[in-house]
Amino acid sequence: MSATTPSTMEREIALAQSERTARSIHRQVCELHRLNTAAPDLLAALTDMLACADAGDLDSLANASVEARAAIAKAKGTA
């Protein structure tokens, strides 16, 4: 084994760890972006549900509930 082999291996290990870290950070940023995108829809749907419930409007409450479920699915990434 040459004297440069350990440092070459160390560089390769460090590079592999850096690549894994970069992929992990990218996944987290994508997740935060998805949640940030879905948050206004969810807030609006929940606000509508509260307004409908306060007014006793069951038909509109049912519609707002569907919108809330869609916003939750969007937040989960299943929409």
Side-chain angles (χ1 to χ4, degrees):
M1 229 182 235
S2 70
T4 60
T5 302
S7 63
T8 300
M9 283 178 41
E10 289 171 359
R11 283 195 302 267
E12 289 175 1
I13 290 169
L15 178 61
Q17 289 172 336
S18 295
E19 289 172 350
R20 282 192 299 273
T21 300
R23 284 192 298 272
S24 176
I25 290 170
H26 181 262
R27 281 191 300 272
Q28 291 171 0
V29 168
C30 289
E31 178 76 6
L32 288 173
H33 177 71
R34 185 176 50 75
L35 291 173
N36 190 41
T37 301
D41 295 340
L42 182 55
L43 180 60
L46 293 174
T47 302
D48 288 348
M49 285 181 68
L50 287 173
C52 294
D54 287 344
D57 185 352
L58 297 180
D59 290 333
S60 295
L61 179 59
N63 291 336
S65 176
V66 170
E67 291 174 16
R69 289 178 189 272
I72 290 168
K74 182 178 178 182
K76 287 182 173 180
T78 58

